[in-house]
């Protein structure tokens, strides 16, 4: 086999390996929300404490993702990926060994580092795939990070129901170990990359700002939004966030180059990532509650945890299918318009849930429609970023986008919990709670679609030197 004929085979192998690696990032999410009630029961702790198994992973992921993204832009990229996969595997093993809540939280914290695998995978694809394969590759990797959780939810839900929480984490350890083995085989060495100076001060400042912000958002419903603790955390997030921006704009080699936001595709991808992350978790949170509320309670559909987890499957299946179709049908230069279209479809899905949520089949249909919206938005975002920034900034720029998604996830989950709690008179939410959360989510996506459409003009700022033009990324 000649070198020319062997390259497509090697590239397909690399892409398949990257998909397996990115699946681990989605697995971190699927081991979170669905297992919280079971963790509370098996560990004999309050639900608020069990919630920290999700919060801890989200916090660690948001803090470490930009750091891993920057390290991934240098010549130690392969080592960073292998160490991250090792940390996730260890975290799953720790969580599978005991019901002690402190150990579970520690294990989930290690698993949270897996959220940084998405920007690392995108950076590897950008550097080692041929130009015609980059666009479909980054689309698949981005959507896999979102949709993969949909296939993990029912598996983890079933394992938790029949064999306990530890079986779910054991499953996660097995998947992470397989991904680690695959990565050892397929990941190329980044010897061609230049050594990058690590902005440690930027990492500390950004990590501190994100930690304060996410703690304020996640603790607000429990402590009260006027609580001195929550107000103090919010104030600290604003102050440290301002210092972070000032620092990142003045250093020559920042952890995250905020100047790249001057390029309209990057800005719109980041705005959409924050809004879509928020809206998706508003939708997922209310659907999980709606499906598991008993039928004798108003608005409840009375399904099992397993059936509720299966509702994510049409979301995942349609998001993957739609992303593949969009990459083939839509020209790369028009990718930016997938963002407002996807947001409008998300808004339509939430509006339809507002009307038809009393039927189980309608909920599944709504999740399928939301999957179409996810397939368009989450597939377009990384492609726009990869095509608009220099090769040496791909890991950092996509890592920042992933951070904004994580902040959106936390905000959406908290917003849904706040709305549901506000309309809960007994043990379960009143139907009015679902109406308000559906309307709020639909409004968020509609406003985002309008803002992005207005800003998505063709006369975007010139791309920096070394950027692959969008038009040659046609599959």
């Amino acid at each position: 086999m000649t070198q020319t004929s062997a390259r497509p085979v090697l590239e397909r192998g690399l892409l398949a390996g990257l998909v397996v690696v990115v699946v681990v990032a989605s697995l971190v999410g699927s081991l979170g929300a669905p297992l919280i009630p079971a963790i509370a029961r098996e560990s004999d702790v309050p639900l608020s404490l069990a919630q920290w198994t999700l919060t801890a992973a989200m916090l660690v992921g948001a803090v470490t993702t930009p750091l891993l993204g920057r390290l991934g832009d240098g010549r130690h990229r392969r080592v960073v990926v292998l160490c991250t996969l090792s940390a996730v595997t260890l975290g799953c093993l720790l969580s599978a060994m005991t019901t002690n809540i402190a150990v579970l939280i520690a294990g989930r914290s290690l698993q949270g580092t897996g959220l940084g695998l998405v920007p690392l995978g995108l950076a590897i694809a950008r550097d080692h795939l041929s130009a015609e394969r980059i666009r479909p590759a980054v689309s698949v990797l981005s959507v896999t990070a979102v949709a993969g959780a949909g296939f993990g939810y029912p598996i983890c839900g079933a394992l938790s129901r029949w064999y306990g929480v530890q079986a779910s984490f054991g499953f996660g350890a097995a998947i992470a170990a397989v991904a680690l083995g695959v990565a050892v085989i397929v990941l190329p060495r980044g010897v061609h990359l230049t050594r990058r100076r690590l902005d440690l001060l930027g990492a500390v400042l950004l990590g501190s700002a994100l930690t304060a912000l996410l703690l304020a958002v996640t603790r607000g419903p429990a402590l009260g939004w006027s609580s001195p603790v929550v107000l103090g955390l919010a104030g600290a997030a604003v102050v440290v966030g301002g210092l972070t921006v000032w620092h990142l704009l003045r250093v020559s080699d920042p952890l995250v180059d905020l100047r790249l936001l001057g390029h309209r595709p990057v800005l719109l991808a980041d705005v959409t990532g924050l809004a879509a992350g928020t809206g998706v978790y508003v939708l997922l949170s209310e659907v999980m509650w709606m499906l598991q509320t008993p039928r004798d309670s108003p608005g409840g559909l009375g399904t099992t945890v397993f059936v509720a987890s299966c509702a994510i499957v049409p979301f995942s299946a349609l998001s993957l299918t739609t992303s593949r179709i969009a990459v083939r049908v839509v020209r790369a230069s028009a990718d930016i318009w997938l963002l407002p279209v996807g947001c409008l479809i998300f808004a339509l899905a939430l509006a339809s849930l507002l009307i038809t949520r009393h039927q189980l089949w309608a909920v599944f249909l709504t999740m399928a429609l939301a999957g179409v919206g996810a397939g368009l938005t989450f597939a377009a975002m990384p492609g726009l970023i990869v095509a608009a920034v220099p090769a040496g900034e791909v890991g950092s720029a996509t890592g920042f986008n992933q951070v904004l998604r994580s902040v959106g996830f936390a905000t959406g989950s908290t917003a849904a919990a706040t709305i549901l709690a506000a309309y809960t008179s007994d043990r379960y939410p009143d139907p009015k709670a679902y109406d308000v959360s559906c309307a709020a989510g639909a409004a968020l996506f509609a406003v985002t679609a309008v803002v992005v459409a207005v800003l998505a003009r063709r006369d975007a700022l010139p791309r920096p030197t070394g950027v692959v033009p969008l038009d040659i990324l046609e599959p």
Side-chain angles (χ1 to χ4, degrees):
M1 184 180 291
T2 65
Q3 183 176 0
T4 302
S5 61
R7 180 169 181 177
V9 176
L10 294 174
E11 289 189 345
R12 283 194 293 270
L14 174 59
L15 179 57
L18 291 176
V19 168
V20 173
V21 169
V22 170
V23 162
V24 174
S26 63
L27 187 66
V28 171
S30 66
L31 291 173
L35 300 182
I36 290 174
I39 290 173
R41 289 193 304 270
E42 295 186 20
S43 300
D44 193 23
V45 296
L47 197 61
S48 59
L49 183 56
Q51 180 74 27
W52 273 94
T53 59
L54 176 62
T55 303
M58 203 173 295
L59 279 172
V60 172
V63 171
T64 58
T65 292
L67 184 61
L68 294 176
R70 174 54 77 195
L71 289 172
D73 285 330
R75 57 175 45 190
H76 300 298
R77 175 186 293 163
R78 185 174 187 271
V79 174
V80 172
V81 174
L82 296 180
C83 288
T84 303
L85 287 170
S86 299
V88 175
T89 304
L90 176 59
C92 289
L93 287 173
L94 282 176
S95 300
M97 292 169 59
T98 179
T99 58
N100 181 279
I101 191 63
V103 178
L104 284 173
I105 292 174
R108 287 289 291 157
S109 298
L110 286 172
Q111 294 167 42
T113 60
L115 296 174
L117 292 170
V118 179
L120 290 171
L122 293 173
I124 292 171
R126 169 64 174 79
D127 275 358
H128 296 279
L129 296 181
S130 54
E132 67 272 11
R133 291 180 181 271
I134 293 176
R135 182 174 173 244
V138 297
S139 170
V140 168
L141 292 175
S142 178
V143 175
T144 297
V146 178
F151 296 109
Y153 268 45
I155 296 174
C156 294
L159 288 173
S160 174
R161 181 184 179 189
W162 291 314
Y163 302 105
V165 168
Q166 280 62 50
S168 296
F169 288 117
F171 167 73
I175 296 297
V178 169
L180 178 59
V182 170
V184 170
I185 296 172
V186 305
L187 290 189
R189 300 184 183 276
V191 292
H192 66 289
L193 300 172
T194 57
R195 189 182 300 274
R196 304 297 298 269
R197 185 184 69 86
L198 184 59
D199 180 14
L200 290 178
L201 178 57
V204 172
L205 288 173
L206 182 59
S208 301
L210 288 172
T211 299
L213 174 62
L214 289 175
L215 284 175
V217 168
T218 54
R219 300 304 295 158
L223 300 178
W225 295 107
S226 59
S227 163
V229 173
V230 174
L231 292 177
L233 288 169
V238 172
V239 173
V240 180
L243 290 174
T244 304
V245 172
W246 175 79
H247 170 77
L248 294 177
L249 288 176
R250 66 183 292 271
V251 297
S252 59
D253 197 10
L255 180 72
V256 177
D257 191 353
L258 295 181
R259 288 176 286 266
L260 295 175
L261 293 175
H263 299 278
R264 189 171 288 111
V266 178
L267 175 63
L268 295 185
D270 286 345
V271 169
T272 305
L274 178 61
T278 303
V280 165
Y281 260 65
V282 167
L283 175 63
L284 293 181
S285 297
E286 68 171 306
V287 165
M288 290 297 106
W289 269 100
M290 189 186 305
L291 291 175
Q292 296 182 66
T293 298
R295 285 188 177 275
D296 55 4
S297 297
L301 293 175
T303 68
T304 64
V305 176
F306 176 69
V307 173
S309 299
C310 287
I312 314 297
V313 174
F315 174 86
S316 299
L318 266 294
S319 60
L320 286 172
T321 303
T322 302
S323 68
R324 298 303 299 271
I325 294 174
V327 166
R328 286 176 167 81
V329 173
V330 180
R331 286 185 56 82
S333 56
D335 265 358
I336 201 167
W337 295 102
L338 295 178
L339 299 180
V341 172
C343 287
L344 284 177
I345 294 175
F346 263 127
L348 181 61
L350 282 156
S352 70
L353 187 64
L354 180 65
I355 300 170
T356 64
R357 59 179 171 79
H358 305 287
Q359 301 294 328
L360 181 60
W361 65 265
V363 174
F364 275 71
L365 185 61
T366 294
M367 295 304 293
L369 185 60
V372 175
L376 296 178
T377 53
F378 288 101
M381 280 187 279
L384 291 170
I385 294 173
V386 168
V389 304
E393 296 292 339
V394 170
S396 175
T398 54
F400 185 64
N401 182 261
Q402 183 69 28
V403 167
L404 292 177
R405 293 194 206 183
S406 298
V407 172
F409 294 158
T411 304
S413 178
T414 302
T418 302
I419 294 172
L420 293 173
Y423 291 93
T424 299
S425 55
D426 194 2
R427 185 179 178 184
Y428 297 102
D430 186 86
K432 184 69 172 178
Y434 302 125
D435 296 338
V436 173
S437 56
C438 282
L444 171 66
F445 276 117
V447 170
T448 303
V450 171
V451 171
V452 173
V454 169
L455 295 177
R457 300 192 303 269
R458 294 298 296 273
D459 58 338
L461 297 176
R463 302 183 189 91
T465 305
V467 170
V468 177
L470 285 167
D471 290 336
I472 74 167
L473 299 184
E474 197 70 30

